[in-house]
Amino acid sequence: MKKFAAGLGALSLSASSAVAAQPEPWEMRFQEAATGIMEEITWFEEYTLWFIVPIVLLVMALLAWCMLRYRSSANPVPSRTSHNTLIEVLWTVGPVIVLLFLAIPSFQLLTRQYTPDEEPAMTIKATGVQWYWDYEYQDQENPLNFTSLMLQEGDRASAGKENTAEYPRLLAVDNELVVPVNTTVRVLVTASDVIHAFAMPSFGIKVDAVPGRINETWFKAEREGLYYGQCSELCGKDHAFMPIAIRVVSQDQYQTWYAAARQDLTGANRALMASIGSGKDEDKVAAAE
């Protein structure tokens, strides 16, 4: 019985992790972090709440006190006090201290976002087009480029992507961007027509794609999985139908996929999906036992 319960728990955990990297209904917080940068962003958001919440409550309390204490019926003769030195010092020094506590970690986080811990092992160019993404793996010896379009509902069966939990409507694509886990990836972002934006919430990256200009960002995914983002700059009538999908796999799976994708991208994607599916099945059997 215990093994059965443990197996159910593992299966439920596996199912939840499959959908953890996409927007959820009524989601109020960030998506689960898949990179160190996103973990730092999440920490900073929680850190700032320790300042924001007390300040909001204090201001609300002061407003309520002033409205009740100094209303015309309770205070028919208004005060003619022009200033109070102590209060003016407090409301000048207090905000300065708060801003320092916010500014220092925010500057540190901003520096981290622009400074990888190591030299990127690979470079990918992402070009925004109305309304899809072109990807180019900038390997001098074995370059690879392809287009990533939103998956149409009628193409799910032929693509082997009928599971809407893993390949959600309006977020799934025909060709995912595939990268190896625990690898620093440089992303060069540009556009061919209008301004777009390359955004991946679980990675903590969001950068504008501007025609005639190349912006640079980077990420290092620490967990395997399929992650979804979207164009985050209004770019025309199909702006809402321009998703980004990044599949993070093991080093061996990536090397096998990349070698095959240069000859047959569709076949390489199918083989990769099959290898990931067989791995999940083995994990489920092991958990059930």
Side-chain angles (χ1 to χ4, degrees):
M1 188 66 180
K2 290 182 178 179
K3 289 184 178 180
F4 178 72
L8 287 179
L11 291 180
S12 64
L13 180 61
S14 175
S16 64
S17 63
V19 298
Q22 59 181 276
E24 297 293 336
W26 297 98
E27 191 170 36
M28 298 180 65
R29 300 299 302 275
F30 295 130
Q31 293 181 29
E32 185 178 352
T35 66
I37 288 295
M38 189 59 205
E39 290 178 354
E40 293 184 33
I41 292 174
T42 302
W43 173 87
F44 183 69
E45 184 260 351
E46 295 171 349
Y47 171 78
T48 57
L49 288 178
W50 286 100
F51 296 90
I52 294 172
V53 173
I55 290 173
V56 170
L57 294 177
L58 174 63
V59 172
M60 290 177 61
L62 290 175
L63 286 172
W65 181 70
C66 289
M67 287 187 290
L68 294 174
R69 173 65 181 82
Y70 297 106
R71 67 188 190 277
S72 59
S73 59
N75 192 55
V77 180
S79 171
R80 295 183 178 275
T81 302
S82 61
H83 69 279
N84 184 300
T85 303
L86 177 61
I87 291 178
E88 291 183 0
V89 170
L90 289 176
W91 73 32
T92 300
V93 175
V96 169
I97 295 175
V98 170
L99 288 175
L100 285 175
F101 274 95
L102 294 176
I104 293 175
S106 70
F107 290 155
Q108 292 174 335
L109 175 58
L110 187 63
T111 301
R112 285 273 294 116
Q113 288 178 298
Y114 285 95
T115 311
D117 295 328
E118 59 190 9
E119 184 65 22
M122 56 186 296
T123 300
I124 298 174
K125 183 179 180 181
T127 303
V129 188
Q130 291 177 312
W131 288 270
Y132 56 89
W133 292 92
D134 280 334
Y135 296 119
E136 178 184 341
Y137 289 72
Q138 297 194 333
D139 186 325
Q140 293 182 355
E141 297 180 358
N142 303 303
L144 170 65
N145 58 78
F146 57 85
T147 296
S148 180
L149 296 161
M150 186 181 73
L151 182 66
Q152 301 299 315
E153 292 301 300
D155 297 334
R156 283 187 176 276
S158 61
K161 298 179 178 180
E162 297 172 289
N163 181 1
T164 55
E166 190 171 3
Y167 303 101
R169 178 177 175 270
L170 303 183
L171 286 177
V173 300
D174 56 354
N175 300 312
E176 295 91 7
L177 185 66
V178 180
V179 298
V181 70
N182 293 321
T183 301
T184 301
V185 180
R186 178 193 289 116
V187 184
L188 305 178
V189 183
T190 187
S192 65
D193 37 41
V194 299
I195 299 178
H196 302 276
F198 189 87
M200 183 57 61
S202 293
F203 292 178
I205 60 174
K206 182 177 181 181
V207 58
D208 279 346
V210 183
R213 177 174 178 174
I214 295 180
N215 290 325
E216 182 177 326
T217 187
W218 67 278
F219 64 84
K220 183 179 182 180
E222 299 174 350
R223 293 188 296 110
E224 295 181 28
L226 186 54
Y227 302 91
Y228 292 102
Q230 291 175 293
C231 173
S232 297
E233 188 74 48
L234 186 60
C235 58
K237 69 180 184 67
D238 286 340
H239 163 67
F241 308 103
M242 193 174 167
I244 302 166
I246 300 180
R247 191 187 291 276
V248 182
V249 298
S250 68
Q251 291 284 346
D252 291 340
Q253 288 175 323
Y254 171 76
Q255 294 295 341
T256 302
W257 171 85
Y258 192 85
R262 291 187 296 108
Q263 306 298 327
D264 179 10
L265 178 62
T266 301
N269 288 339
R270 286 185 173 276
L272 179 60
M273 290 168 57
S275 68
I276 293 173
S278 62
K280 289 181 179 179
D281 292 339
E282 292 175 0
D283 292 341
K284 291 179 181 179
V285 172
E289 294 176 350

